[in-house]
């Protein structure tokens, strides 16, 4: 069953890469690409294309969110980005092929919203315990800024055809997370 689900997901990814602007697939197209019947997808695996994307989200994010909550959010603010570099980037990299498609195509326009919803709430909880001292924004705006910045840096990394291994990307990540873009021009 897991093998067939992988075939279905890989078919979705291939179809998305064929036309990066495409934002909708049908179960029939996915079944044809996967080499199985539409009924097999519907009866044994997924009820809809949305169910497929929900499965992709959960598969990618389950272990990452757990590690983020258990290994990163227990750190003091000065160590947060280092914790992400050490504990989270390798987990993200494991899913780099699917993530490259989600970040570089329009096939799943809900992906970024899904991430924001999942990570904004835990970031908000963290900021309640460790209020930022140097922000001109409200906590809500600070959460949005921090979450969007993190998602953007990761999406740019993984949108590359062959993203750097986390051991090579981690120092770049740390620099991007701690430097102002204004410093790029100095």
């Amino acid at each position: 069953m897991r093998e067939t689900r992988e075939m279905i997901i890989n078919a979705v990814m291939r179809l998305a890469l064929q036309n990066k602007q495409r934002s909708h697939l049908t179960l029939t197209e996915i079944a044809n690409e996967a080499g199985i019947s539409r009924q097999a997808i519907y009866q044994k695996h997924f009820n809809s294309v949305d169910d497929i994307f929900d499965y992709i989200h959960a598969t990618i994010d389950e272990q990452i969110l757990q590690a983020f909550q258990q290994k990163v959010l227990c750190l003091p603010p000065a160590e947060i980005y280092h914790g992400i570099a050490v504990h989270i980037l390798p987990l993200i990299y494991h899913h780099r092929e699917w993530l490259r498609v989600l970040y570089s195509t329009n096939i799943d326009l809900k992906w970024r919203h899904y991430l924001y919803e999942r990570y904004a709430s835990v970031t908000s909880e963290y900021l309640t315990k460790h209020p930022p001292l140097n922000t001109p924004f409200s906590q809500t705006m600070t959460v949005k800024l921090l979450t969007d910045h993190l998602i953007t840096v990761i999406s740019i990394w993984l949108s590359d055809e062959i993203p750097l291994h986390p051991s090579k990307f981690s120092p770049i990540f740390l620099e991007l997370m701690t430097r102002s873009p204004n410093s790029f021009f100095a």
Side-chain angles (χ1 to χ4, degrees):
M1 177 122 104
R2 184 174 181 91
E3 205 172 284
T4 304
R5 283 185 174 223
E6 291 274 329
M7 287 174 38
I8 295 166
I9 303 302
N10 290 332
V12 167
M13 300 301 164
R14 285 192 304 275
L15 289 167
L17 288 172
Q18 288 172 11
N19 180 351
K20 292 183 178 189
Q21 299 308 312
R22 189 171 187 180
S23 61
H24 178 75
L25 295 172
T26 67
L27 281 178
T28 302
E29 292 171 295
I30 296 166
N32 290 340
E33 181 68 26
I36 59 177
S37 72
R38 181 184 180 282
Q39 290 76 17
I41 292 176
Y42 186 75
Q43 291 172 351
K44 297 179 183 176
H45 301 284
F46 303 104
N47 292 326
S48 67
V49 174
D50 284 340
D51 282 353
I52 295 172
F53 285 110
D54 290 345
Y55 176 80
I56 292 168
H57 297 173
T59 301
I60 291 171
D61 195 45
E62 181 180 343
Q63 190 179 15
I64 295 169
L65 181 60
Q66 184 179 18
F68 189 74
Q69 291 172 316
Q70 294 175 354
K71 296 180 179 180
V72 175
L73 294 181
C74 61
L75 298 171
E79 297 175 28
I80 283 287
Y81 293 130
H82 179 73
I84 291 170
V86 169
H87 300 291
I88 305 304
L89 294 183
L91 296 174
I92 292 171
Y93 186 78
H94 177 75
H95 297 286
R96 67 190 173 277
E97 292 174 12
W98 288 3
L99 287 166
R100 181 173 63 86
V101 173
L102 294 178
Y103 285 127
S104 66
T105 72
N106 289 335
I107 202 63
D108 183 9
L109 298 175
K110 294 187 230 171
W111 173 241
R112 285 182 188 259
H113 181 74
Y114 168 86
L115 287 176
Y116 180 78
E117 291 297 315
R118 299 275 288 195
Y119 289 89
S121 62
V122 295
T123 301
S124 185
E125 288 175 31
Y126 181 83
L127 292 179
T128 299
K129 295 175 188 168
H130 306 280
L133 303 174
N134 297 318
T135 179
F137 300 116
S138 67
Q139 180 167 322
T140 302
M141 292 296 289
T142 301
V143 167
K144 181 159 180 44
L145 178 68
L146 294 172
T147 306
D148 285 348
H149 186 211
L150 182 62
I151 291 169
T152 298
V153 168
I154 289 171
S155 72
I156 291 168
W157 166 47
L158 294 175
S159 292
D160 197 9
E161 187 73 29
I162 303 173
L164 292 173
H165 189 272
S167 62
K168 292 186 179 186
F169 180 68
S170 288
I172 297 167
F173 169 80
L174 291 170
E175 190 168 334
L176 290 170
M177 297 311 288
T178 57
R179 279 182 46 190
S180 164
N182 190 46
S183 69
F184 298 167
F185 299 103

